[in-house]
Amino acid sequence: MKIQLALDRVDMDEAIAIASAVSDSVDWIEVGTSLVKEFGMQSIRTMREVFPHKTILADMKTFDNAAYEMKLCFEAGANVATVMGAAPMATIELCKRVADEYGAHVMIDLLNVSADKVDELRRLTGVTWCYHVSKDEQEGQGTSAVSLSLATRPTGVRAAAAGGITVDSIPHFSRLGVDILVVGSAITKARDPREAARYFREVIEENANERELVER
Ligand SMILES: O=C([C@H](O)CO)[C@H](O)[C@H](O)COP(=O)(O)O
């Protein structure tokens, strides 16, 4: 299981400092929606310059104007970009087409998608579905990511989980076969982000081993 470090609600110096401290323990660096909105494409360019060999995800949360937005972030150096699953299929398919042209990848954010829309999304493979509990639901209703079900995912689609993820969530998501764990506050707001990220990695490895033992 990969760790995607979500960087949100910090300035670029802080984002770089946190990412530098934890980069050995995380796989992907997410330029969070808040950074994209506050600092624009420069936030992605900066992360690409500082981390030339890391996978950079731009959390664009695109809803329309797909070709324009995807080109912007892939030209800026992103390898992966997000589109909202609730967006029209035309938008989502266009994101995938542009990503293919750039040798990049699309993550579909399933925030607030209907069951019917999930069915429509099933026809698009070679993407990642991100099961996401929103910040506002976490803070307003105490909803936790652990309640998410991954049952509807088709083969050929990778799964990510996001929203209030802590180390305690790892066994659950590991059992469900989640490929990418999106972790923001549990690392970025930790007293020692480096140690927090290292511990995430350690517990992921432990759970991966347990899974192998069960499968054998
Ligand atoms: O996508 C996110 C959210 O919508 C704010 O933009 C975050 O990246 C995601 O929720 C991970 O952050 P934490 O919930 O703090 O782990």
Side-chain angles (χ1 to χ4, degrees):
M1 190 156 53
K2 291 187 191 305
I3 301 177
Q4 176 179 320
L5 170 72
L7 295 163
D8 272 303
R9 296 171 294 280
V10 289
D11 64 29
M12 286 310 296
D13 288 344
E14 286 173 274
I16 292 167
I18 295 167
S20 302
V22 309
S23 72
D24 287 350
S25 300
V26 305
D27 302 283
W28 291 9
I29 296 175
E30 171 191 322
V31 182
T33 314
S34 60
L35 297 195
V36 171
K37 289 193 175 181
E38 199 170 346
F39 307 111
M41 291 304 111
Q42 189 54 44
S43 61
I44 300 168
R45 274 191 289 273
T46 300
M47 283 314 206
R48 172 49 66 221
E49 279 162 25
V50 179
F51 300 99
H53 305 299
K54 278 280 181 199
T55 295
I56 303 284
L57 178 142
D59 195 8
M60 301 292 283
K61 291 192 171 73
T62 290
F63 215 94
D64 192 11
N65 213 7
Y68 182 78
E69 293 196 2
M70 291 295 109
K71 280 181 191 160
L72 270 185
C73 72
F74 296 139
E75 292 284 344
N79 311 95
V80 189
T82 61
V83 56
M84 299 311 291
M89 278 310 285
T91 300
I92 297 168
E93 284 165 351
L94 200 45
C95 286
K96 171 82 167 79
R97 207 174 316 145
V98 176
D100 287 347
E101 282 165 23
Y102 280 83
H105 187 79
V106 170
M107 181 181 282
I108 303 177
D109 187 325
L110 299 183
L111 201 59
N112 226 28
V113 288
S114 65
D116 285 349
K117 189 57 184 294
V118 168
D119 271 346
E120 268 192 274
L121 290 172
R122 294 171 72 85
R123 70 171 190 245
L124 199 64
T125 55
V127 294
T128 299
W129 284 11
C130 182
Y131 296 82
H132 188 183
V133 175
S134 73
K135 187 68 47 199
D136 294 338
E137 284 168 307
Q138 288 174 51
E139 291 175 355
Q141 302 159 14
T143 309
S144 110
V146 180
S147 64
L148 290 171
S149 159
L150 302 178
T152 51
R153 177 166 57 113
T155 49
V157 167
R158 287 196 291 190
I165 298 215
T166 63
V167 165
D168 296 342
S169 331
I170 293 172
H172 173 74
F173 288 122
S174 184
R175 270 195 304 275
L176 289 172
V178 164
D179 305 286
I180 301 154
L181 209 55
V182 182
V183 187
S185 319
I187 292 177
T188 61
K189 302 277 185 278
R191 209 160 12 144
D192 182 346
R194 185 197 294 270
E195 173 54 23
R198 192 206 57 75
Y199 189 49
F200 260 91
R201 171 61 64 206
E202 183 183 309
V203 177
I204 285 174
E205 303 299 332
E206 281 168 15
N207 278 272
N209 292 342
E210 273 176 34
R211 212 178 141 169
E212 274 169 28
L213 286 176
V214 170
E215 281 167 0
R216 240 184 265 155

